Amino acid sequence: MVEKKFEEAMERLEKIVRSLEGGELSLEDAIKDFEEGMDLIKFASNKLEEAEKKVSLLVQESDGKLTLTPFDAEKENE
């Protein structure tokens, strides 16, 4: 099975949203697209969560040594 990419999932999700907003779909097609959209949202959310876990910062300590520190979004927002 070919692995989906985040960007491809987002492009498809945008197409689904435009289609649903257009109001031209039958009820059955709208439900099918809505379900696909929900699956894409779950996939994209999981990918973003994985990426956040992988993000880390190189921090230079006072002695010049570089250390790998996990990214903390809450600290960054302070």
Side-chain angles (χ1 to χ4, degrees), residues 4-27:
K4 270 192 276 190
K5 294 189 179 198
F6 176 82
E7 293 80 5
E8 293 169 351
M10 293 304 295
E11 286 177 22
R12 177 64 184 138
L13 187 56
E14 288 175 14
K15 288 179 184 175
I16 289 172
V17 169
R18 282 193 298 273
S19 177
L20 289 171
E21 288 178 341
E24 304 281 324
L25 297 174
S26 68
L27 178 60

Side-chain angles (χ1 to χ4, degrees), residues 27-54:
L27 178 60
E28 293 81 14
D29 288 340
I31 290 171
K32 186 180 110 197
D33 280 2
F34 180 80
E35 289 173 342
E36 181 184 355
M38 294 304 293
D39 288 340
L40 289 168
I41 288 170
K42 184 177 178 181
F43 169 81
S45 179
N46 287 338
K47 283 293 188 184
L48 288 173
E49 197 173 300
E50 287 174 22
E52 185 176 356
K53 289 177 184 177
K54 291 179 183 179

